């Protein structure tokens, strides 16, 4: 962990009074670092520029705000998720006000978070908590877009996570697809699922079904190194395709 005030104090003290001065300067510099919560040169530059260094809880909400705004518009689901994160952290009123301000700062995208995340890398439990909160925010509007995934991949890299670890974590938050058999399915639903129309020839419907079945078969997915969640999703997708094909075949009366 880097303590900029400590280094500056030690250097200045050594220049003035050699080793005793360096020791005294380091002590004074460390006190300053702790008081101002400085753990990197970037944080020191922010303080010198008039912007306060981010606390860990503020950093989290800066990231959440950035994710919420990444596709151009913050929706009510994002706001509700941010409030849920505040409740789960049992924040005081003053902490909530800081979190709201940090969330709004995050929407602007002006904060440089790399140095903060690299410092957080030394706290694995806290780093994982941040990434999990980020994924909860991503799915707050019901979908995960490429821009959001790219941000989490980048932040995860700065936190020292491998691509495999990030992929496994993402799978924990990917909503499982509901089996088609468990809901009321219409003929039009089945047609859309297979990508055919009511006038498509039976032979073309069979080809479409077999093509989709091959693409989504769980054994094939598992062979590509997919996560257990992805294999489960493929299994449910296969069931949906089978049910849709059965419904169309019965309605059109062909085998």
């Amino acid at each position: 962990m880097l303590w900029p005030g400590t280094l500056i104090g030690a250097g200045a003290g050594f220049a003035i009074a050699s080793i005793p001065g360096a020791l005294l300067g380091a002590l004074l510099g460390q006190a300053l670092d702790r008081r101002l919560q400085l753990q990197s040169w970037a944080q020191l530059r922010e303080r010198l520029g008039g912007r306060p260094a981010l606390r860990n809880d503020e950093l989290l909400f800066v990231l959440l705000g950035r994710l919420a705004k990444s596709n151009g518009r913050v929706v009510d689901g994002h706001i509700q998720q941010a409030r849920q994160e505040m409740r789960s952290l049992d924040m005081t009123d003053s902490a909530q006000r800081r979190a709201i301000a940090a969330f709004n700062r995050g929407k602007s995208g002006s904060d440089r978070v790399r140095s903060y995340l690299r410092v957080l890398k030394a706290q694995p439990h806290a780093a994982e908590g941040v990434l999990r909160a980020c994924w909860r925010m991503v799915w707050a509007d019901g979908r995960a877009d490429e821009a959001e995934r790219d941000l989490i991949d980048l932040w995860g890299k700065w936190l020292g996570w491998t691509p495999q670890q990030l992929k496994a974590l993402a799978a924990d938050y990917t909503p499982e697809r509901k089996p088609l058999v468990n809901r009321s399915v219409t003929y039009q639903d089945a047609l859309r699922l297979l990508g055919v129309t009511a006038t498509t020839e039976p032979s073309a419907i069979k080809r479409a079904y077999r093509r989709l079945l091959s693409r989504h078969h769980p054994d094939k997915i598992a062979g590509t190194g997919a996560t257990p969640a992805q294999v489960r999703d493929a299994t449910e997708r296969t069931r949906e395709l089978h049910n849709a094909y059965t419904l169309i075949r019965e309605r059109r009366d062909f085998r």
Side-chain angles (χ1 to χ4, degrees), residues 13-35:
F14 183 82
I16 296 172
S18 190
I19 293 178
L23 293 174
L24 178 59
L27 288 174
L28 294 174
Q30 189 171 67
L32 181 65
D33 284 331
R34 293 184 181 279
R35 181 176 180 81

Side-chain angles (χ1 to χ4, degrees), residues 5-224:
T6 303
L7 294 177
I8 293 173
F14 183 82
I16 296 172
S18 190
I19 293 178
L23 293 174
L24 178 59
L27 288 174
L28 294 174
Q30 189 171 67
L32 181 65
D33 284 331
R34 293 184 181 279
R35 181 176 180 81
L36 299 181
Q37 297 184 343
L38 299 177
Q39 299 177 0
S40 71
W41 293 111
Q43 292 175 358
L44 177 60
R45 286 194 295 270
E46 287 187 359
R47 293 306 297 262
L48 292 175
R51 171 170 285 188
L54 291 172
R55 300 157 55 107
N56 279 358
D57 55 349
E58 292 172 326
L59 170 63
L60 169 63
F61 285 90
V62 165
L63 299 178
L64 298 182
R66 179 79 177 275
L67 284 170
K69 188 67 174 180
S70 62
N71 286 308
R73 189 167 68 92
V74 177
V75 300
D76 185 63
H78 294 135
I79 302 299
Q80 295 303 320
Q81 184 59 42
R83 290 174 177 167
Q84 178 59 40
E85 296 296 338
M86 293 180 201
R87 288 192 292 269
S88 67
L89 293 172
D90 195 23
M91 286 184 157
T92 63
D93 289 344
S94 61
Q96 288 186 37
R97 287 193 292 271
R98 290 196 304 270
I100 292 170
F103 186 83
N104 290 329
R105 280 174 60 179
K107 291 190 295 184
S108 72
S110 60
D111 283 273
R112 297 180 179 180
V113 299
R114 183 173 185 174
S115 62
Y116 293 101
L117 292 175
R118 286 190 164 178
V119 169
L120 196 62
K121 179 180 176 180
Q123 305 173 47
H125 182 72
E128 180 177 346
V130 165
L131 291 173
R132 289 189 177 279
C134 285
W135 272 113
R136 290 192 291 269
M137 179 58 71
V138 164
W139 285 107
D141 62 352
R143 65 182 188 275
D145 296 320
E146 184 176 359
E148 295 167 323
R149 293 180 182 275
D150 287 346
L151 281 174
I152 293 183
D153 285 346
L154 179 61
W155 296 339
K157 178 182 177 181
W158 292 342
L159 286 168
W161 281 51
T162 67
Q164 292 76 19
Q165 289 174 316
L166 291 169
K167 185 177 181 180
L169 183 65
D172 287 347
Y173 292 91
T174 302
E176 292 188 18
R177 191 184 300 276
K178 301 296 183 182
L180 198 60
V181 70
N182 289 341
R183 60 185 175 89
S184 179
V185 182
T186 68
Y187 181 53
Q188 293 300 321
D189 288 334
L191 292 173
R192 281 193 293 270
L193 187 60
L194 265 62
V196 298
T197 68
T199 58
T200 301
E201 291 293 325
S203 59
I205 294 174
K206 291 179 182 179
R207 288 195 298 272
Y209 168 61
R210 290 168 181 166
R211 183 178 65 253
L212 290 169
L213 198 63
S214 175
R215 181 186 304 170
H216 297 286
H217 197 281
D219 290 343
K220 183 176 182 179
I221 297 296
T224 64

